[in-house]
Amino acid sequence: MHPFTLSTVDDPAAAIAAHARDPGLAFIAGGTDLIGLMKDRAALPTRLLDINGLPGMARIEALADGGLRIGALARMSDVAADTEVRRRFPVIAESLLFAASGQLRNMASMGGNIMQRTRCAYFRDEDDLPCNKRRPGSGCSALHGLNRNHAIFGWSDACVATNPSDLAVALAALDATVVVRGSAGERAIPFGDFHRLPGDTPERDNTLDRGDLIIAIEVPARVEGRASHYLKLRDRQSYEFALVSAAAAVTVDGRRRIRTARLAMGGVAHKPWRLTAAEAAVRGASLDDVTALKLAIATSFTDARPLSQNAFKIELAQRVARSALVTAGARA
């Protein structure tokens, strides 16, 4: 095991200052991803700073306008069980319950979940094969190697890995915001901008810098929120990451025709992938018209670029998106 020191902090300003000045320091809350990365030697911090003592960051607040504010230190299991989360945004609760195991959900924090790193075997396994996330500039072994589980959207020659977070897919569909405090003060990052596509710098998963601390996740009030659903397809039913997944939220009229829809997918890109073209195309379609829904959802897949082993994801992802949409609509 890589040697490190562990200390605690109860003041956000002190935590931010320590992180900003020490490139070898990492924040730790639940540690469910970070400790695994350290065991895999994919992350080697020399100092861990336990932030669980930071005040007020584990609260789950149901806002008067219908939205939510979820503290970054709130545990996944607590958020999934929260009555207002389940009532206002079932897609969030479902995405959390699909993630990991019950024991891990009891430990894992909301802020940590959206920062978790890819499950690409070349990144996670210390086998010294090229990986630009581990060793920038070394190459991407998955590009022409084992890439069945990898991206069909937004990848580059430098990296074809996917984002593993279930929760992030739901938050992307709902246009959530990540509240971050740094050395220059507090700012709000739209969720669609929080994660990065790989480009030439795949070692950077998100837009955070040294000294940045996630404070909370805010979910705006949305009429579609109550009629929402998260669907995850995986190789086994227990404790597995998604081949593809979809978060859907809709409003419908009295004839089961879609008025508005919000759709995002997981398991298909380096970040949660929003199906904006499909969202526009499904408006006015009946939830009972399979052909119309198929054609509408297909509009978001014209720029899909499958790899050598994952062309099946194109059809599979469209089926999962359609099924999630219909299930969400049945709740309207």
Side-chain angles (χ1 to χ4, degrees):
M1 184 66 182
H2 174 69
F4 60 90
T5 63
L6 175 66
S7 56
T8 61
V9 66
D10 59 10
D11 175 51
I16 290 165
H19 193 266
R21 68 173 175 262
D22 184 355
L25 181 145
F27 293 137
I28 187 168
T32 56
D33 191 42
L34 178 59
I35 297 302
L37 290 168
M38 292 171 67
K39 289 179 178 179
D40 294 335
R41 303 189 70 80
L44 298 173
T46 55
R47 181 181 170 200
L48 299 184
L49 186 61
D50 184 341
I51 59 173
N52 286 297
L54 297 181
M57 283 178 52
R59 286 200 293 261
I60 306 167
E61 302 175 67
L63 304 178
D65 65 358
L68 294 171
R69 181 180 170 96
I70 303 169
L73 293 177
R75 273 16 190 193
M76 289 168 57
S77 56
D78 293 333
V79 178
D82 186 88
T83 301
E84 286 302 309
V85 174
R86 296 169 69 92
R87 185 174 70 88
R88 298 182 184 196
F89 302 102
V91 67
I92 293 178
E94 290 171 350
S95 71
L96 291 167
L97 292 173
F98 265 120
S101 64
Q103 296 94 329
L104 288 172
R105 292 195 296 269
N106 287 339
M107 286 294 296
S109 68
M110 294 290 282
N113 180 281
I114 64 173
M115 289 186 65
Q116 66 181 301
R117 306 201 70 187
T118 185
R119 294 287 161 171
C120 174
Y122 298 105
F123 171 67
R124 291 279 174 167
D125 294 342
E126 191 186 359
D127 53 14
D128 206 33
L129 290 174
C131 173
N132 287 319
K133 281 185 173 294
R134 272 184 177 262
R135 296 177 297 279
S138 64
C140 175
S141 292
L143 182 61
H144 301 295
L146 299 175
N147 53 42
R148 174 179 179 268
N149 295 340
H150 287 58
I152 59 173
F153 292 112
W155 55 267
S156 70
D157 286 350
C159 183
V160 296
T162 57
N163 184 289
S165 173
D166 296 297
L167 170 65
V169 183
L171 295 176
L174 297 169
D175 282 336
T177 298
V178 184
V179 181
V180 175
R181 190 174 299 164
S183 303
E186 194 165 292
R187 67 190 190 277
I189 304 173
F191 204 83
D193 297 332
F194 180 76
H195 297 98
R196 301 176 70 256
L197 290 177
D200 296 325
T201 55
E203 69 276 12
R204 293 197 62 195
D205 296 311
N206 54 58
T207 58
L208 297 183
D209 293 317
R210 296 300 307 176
D212 281 343
L213 174 67
I214 299 175
I215 300 296
I217 298 165
E218 293 185 344
V219 186
R222 294 221 168 270
V223 65
E224 302 97 340
R226 292 174 190 255
S228 61
H229 179 57
Y230 183 73
L231 179 60
K232 178 178 181 178
L233 221 62
R234 46 194 171 175
D235 283 327
R236 61 183 182 186
Q237 281 298 98
S238 175
Y239 192 49
E240 184 61 277
F241 295 91
L243 276 176
V244 295
S245 66
V250 298
T251 59
V252 301
D253 64 19
R255 297 180 298 165
R256 286 174 53 83
R257 292 189 178 277
I258 297 170
R259 286 177 173 164
T260 59
R262 314 187 71 78
L263 286 165
M265 299 216 70
V268 297
H270 200 254
K271 61 186 290 184
W273 197 257
R274 192 71 176 270
L275 305 185
T276 52
E279 289 175 353
V282 297
R283 291 176 196 155
S286 169
L287 289 168
D288 302 312
D289 190 337
V290 174
T291 300
L293 294 180
K294 280 184 177 181
L295 292 173
I297 290 170
T299 61
S300 278
F301 286 80
T302 56
D303 58 349
R305 293 188 298 147
L307 299 162
S308 59
Q309 299 166 13
N310 69 0
F312 71 93
K313 280 194 177 188
I314 295 177
E315 174 65 21
L316 185 64
Q318 292 178 70
R319 292 186 181 190
V320 170
R322 185 171 72 250
S323 182
L325 188 66
V326 171
T327 301
R331 295 173 172 174

